């Protein structure tokens, strides 16, 4: 949301959802760390005194969500033609407000998303590291989100999703691309904070099934998302997803 005009984004989202016949699931967030020191400035955005990109993007997210819900926000040119009422952003796509996912990289952000009535999208990175395995910490993030959501009284949101990098190693090509990956979490520094990244899962279908069922966060979440190597082309990614589907079905997940 650091680079987005929330009202223009609301129009674009509503149009896209209408074209998709109400099937769009939209993830938003503050945005990941970037190499450009003045990226937002080049897009015409600067921080005021006492502001941070965290606070600004949360305000933009609130405006965006009001707009997609059809909340009237604009003054009409001719008030008498509209009964003196404010105008909403158009089009309005019914139900889209319940399909907004906030990308959270920490516990506090996940709790905030729950209080705001958004769904939780948790990736392969957490800006939290106390030595526990990534999937255990991510399960705690999910539970903190749900506690916050359940106490909020909201009727939108309440769903959780986690992302994984997982690759079936079946062919020689699979082995060349992913068979030699080191397993285990990665720990480092991002924006001055210790961060922990989850592992890349690679192996036979049986090995992936075992890894999936041992992953506490995957078992806890409502939805699983899989990061795909787009640079390897559509055909290869179809091969990856077809085999991941076999794994998921074999362990009884839908």
């Amino acid at each position: 949301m650091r680079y987005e005009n929330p009202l223009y984004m609301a129009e674009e989202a509503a149009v896209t959802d209408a074209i998709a016949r109400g099937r769009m699931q939209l993830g938003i967030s503050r945005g990941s760390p970037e190499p450009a020191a003045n990226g937002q400035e080049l897009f015409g955005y600067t921080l005021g005194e006492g502001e941070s990109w965290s606070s600004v993007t949360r305000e933009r997210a609130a405006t965006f969500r009001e707009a997609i819900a059809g909340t009237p926000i604009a003054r009409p040119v001719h008030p008498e033609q509209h009964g003196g009422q404010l105008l909403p952003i158009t089009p309005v796509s019914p139900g889209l407000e319940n399909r907004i996912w906030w990308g959270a990289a920490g516990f506090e952000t996940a709790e905030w998303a729950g209080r705001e009535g958004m769904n939780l999208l948790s990736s392969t990175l957490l800006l939290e590291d106390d030595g526990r395995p990534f999937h255990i910490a991510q399960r705690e993030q999910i539970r903190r989100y749900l506690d916050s959501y359940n106490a909020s009284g909201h009727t939108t949101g309440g769903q959780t999703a986690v992302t994984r990098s997982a690759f079936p190693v079946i062919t020689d090509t699979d082995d060349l691309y992913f068979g030699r990956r080191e397993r285990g979490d990665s720990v480092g520094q991002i924006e001055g904070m210790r961060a922990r990244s989850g592992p890349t899962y690679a192996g036979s279908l049986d090995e992936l099934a075992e890894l999936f069922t041992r992953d506490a966060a995957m078992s806890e979440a409502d939805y699983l998302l899989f990061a795909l190597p787009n640079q390897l082309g559509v055909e290869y990614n179809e091969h990856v997803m077809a085999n991941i589907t076999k794994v998921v079905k074999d362990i009884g997940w839908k």
Side-chain angles (χ1 to χ4, degrees), residues 127-146:
L127 297 176
E128 310 276 353
D129 178 44
D130 57 8
R132 291 179 297 173
F134 175 82
H135 69 108
I136 299 297
Q138 192 175 47
R139 179 180 63 183
E140 180 181 343
Q141 183 196 38
I142 291 172
R143 291 179 175 178
R144 288 195 184 193
Y145 162 81
L146 291 173

Side-chain angles (χ1 to χ4, degrees), residues 141-151 158-160 220:
Q141 183 196 38
I142 291 172
R143 291 179 175 178
R144 288 195 184 193
Y145 162 81
L146 291 173
D147 288 343
S148 180
Y149 174 79
N150 291 332
Q159 299 185 93
T160 61
E220 192 88 5

Side-chain angles (χ1 to χ4, degrees), residues 150-171:
N150 291 332
S152 73
H154 280 290
T155 57
T156 58
Q159 299 185 93
T160 61
V162 298
T163 306
R164 289 294 180 270
S165 296
F167 302 100
V169 178
I170 298 172
T171 68

Side-chain angles (χ1 to χ4, degrees), residues 61-226:
T63 301
F64 166 74
R65 294 179 65 215
E66 287 181 359
I68 63 170
T71 302
I73 55 177
R75 295 194 308 272
V77 175
H78 302 292
E80 68 279 2
Q81 295 180 3
H82 301 278
Q85 300 297 311
L86 296 178
L87 303 176
I89 294 295
T90 57
V92 174
S93 189
L96 179 57
E97 61 182 318
N98 196 42
R99 288 178 271 116
I100 304 300
W101 299 74
W102 185 265
F107 295 156
E108 185 277 332
T109 308
E111 292 169 345
W112 171 82
R115 291 194 300 271
E116 294 297 310
M118 288 185 280
N119 300 304
L120 173 68
L121 176 58
S122 188
S123 186
T124 56
L125 171 72
L126 283 176
L127 297 176
E128 310 276 353
D129 178 44
D130 57 8
R132 291 179 297 173
F134 175 82
H135 69 108
I136 299 297
Q138 192 175 47
R139 179 180 63 183
E140 180 181 343
Q141 183 196 38
I142 291 172
R143 291 179 175 178
R144 288 195 184 193
Y145 162 81
L146 291 173
D147 288 343
S148 180
Y149 174 79
N150 291 332
S152 73
H154 280 290
T155 57
T156 58
Q159 299 185 93
T160 61
V162 298
T163 306
R164 289 294 180 270
S165 296
F167 302 100
V169 178
I170 298 172
T171 68
D172 290 341
T173 300
D174 298 333
D175 186 63
L176 176 65
Y177 287 146
F178 303 108
R180 297 168 179 81
R181 293 290 183 95
E182 291 186 7
R183 296 187 179 183
D185 298 348
S186 300
V187 178
Q189 291 274 339
I190 296 180
E191 296 185 337
M193 295 179 286
R194 282 181 61 85
R196 180 173 286 265
S197 297
T200 293
Y201 291 155
S204 68
L205 299 189
D206 287 341
E207 288 173 324
L208 287 183
E210 181 179 355
L211 290 168
F212 286 7
T213 54
R214 286 166 47 191
D215 189 305
M218 290 179 74
S219 298
E220 192 88 5
D222 296 306
Y223 291 94
L224 305 177
L225 307 180
F226 291 94

Side-chain angles (χ1 to χ4, degrees), residues 12-65:
E12 293 289 284
V15 169
T16 303
D17 192 45
I19 293 172
R21 299 182 180 180
R23 293 178 296 157
M24 183 172 72
Q25 304 283 341
L26 181 61
I28 62 176
S29 72
R30 184 194 71 166
S32 61
E34 56 164 290
N38 63 336
Q40 294 88 359
E41 181 180 346
L42 293 175
F43 275 73
Y45 299 126
T46 57
L47 292 176
E49 185 177 352
E51 290 183 329
S52 67
W53 287 118
S54 178
S55 63
V56 167
T57 53
R58 290 184 181 191
E59 290 172 4
R60 289 181 187 168
T63 301
F64 166 74
R65 294 179 65 215

